[in-house]
Amino acid sequence: MSHSAEEEFSEGLLSVVKPAVESVDAQVQTLRTSQAKLKDCIDNLSGDLANIAEMQKDLPNLEHYVKKLMNIKRRVTTVNNVLTNVQDRVQMLQTRVSKEQARKRTLLNAS
């Protein structure tokens, strides 16, 4: 394969992959922000429920609901950790694609 064919292939591949990678990265970032907001809301609600349960001993037991919220919080945290790992991998992929493209350009320009 000639250098120009390799360069065209590399640029073509980059033009296909880069928008998809950028789109996934943006969506992951948005989802991470939403997950963080949800976690904060769950923390606040959990604290409020614990306070209500403490103040109102005669009311129905809210501990069951507090436990459910804590379980949901744990799940949200787990999903957020997974999303962080995915975003890190997407960023590494973007970096590798950019480096490879720069390397191929340098090789072609040196020829």
Side-chain angles (χ1 to χ4, degrees), residues 1-2 15 17 21 25-27 29 32 34 42 46 50 53 60-62 64-65 69 71 74 76 79 85 89 97 101:
M1 189 181 280
S2 70
S15 69
V17 171
V21 169
D25 188 43
Q27 290 173 357
Q29 184 61 39
R32 285 184 65 203
S34 296
I42 289 171
S46 180
N61 189 358
L62 298 177
H64 173 71
Y65 298 104
L69 281 171
N71 188 30
R74 182 184 53 79
V76 166
V79 168
N85 289 336
R89 289 178 184 174
V97 167
Q101 185 181 24

Side-chain angles (χ1 to χ4, degrees), residues 21-68:
V21 169
E22 289 173 348
S23 175
V24 167
D25 188 43
Q27 290 173 357
V28 166
Q29 184 61 39
T30 300
L31 190 54
R32 285 184 65 203
T33 301
S34 296
Q35 291 287 324
K37 288 179 183 178
L38 179 59
K39 181 184 174 291
D40 290 342
C41 289
I42 289 171
D43 285 342
N44 290 337
L45 183 57
S46 180
D48 291 345
L49 286 176
N51 290 338
I52 290 170
E54 187 64 33
M55 291 186 302
Q56 305 291 328
K57 295 291 182 181
D58 296 333
L59 289 178
N61 189 358
L62 298 177
E63 189 171 328
H64 173 71
Y65 298 104
V66 171
K67 285 181 183 178
K68 279 187 174 184

Side-chain angles (χ1 to χ4, degrees), residues 55-103:
M55 291 186 302
Q56 305 291 328
K57 295 291 182 181
D58 296 333
L59 289 178
N61 189 358
L62 298 177
E63 189 171 328
H64 173 71
Y65 298 104
V66 171
K67 285 181 183 178
K68 279 187 174 184
L69 281 171
M70 296 305 283
N71 188 30
I72 292 169
K73 176 185 171 185
R74 182 184 53 79
R75 290 180 187 177
V76 166
T77 300
T78 300
V79 168
N80 194 34
N81 290 339
V82 169
L83 288 173
T84 299
N85 289 336
V86 167
Q87 187 174 28
D88 290 345
R89 289 178 184 174
V90 166
Q91 287 173 346
M92 281 192 321
L93 181 60
Q94 267 183 313
T95 301
R96 286 181 183 173
V97 167
S98 295
K99 284 181 180 179
E100 182 64 20
Q101 185 181 24
R103 184 185 70 80

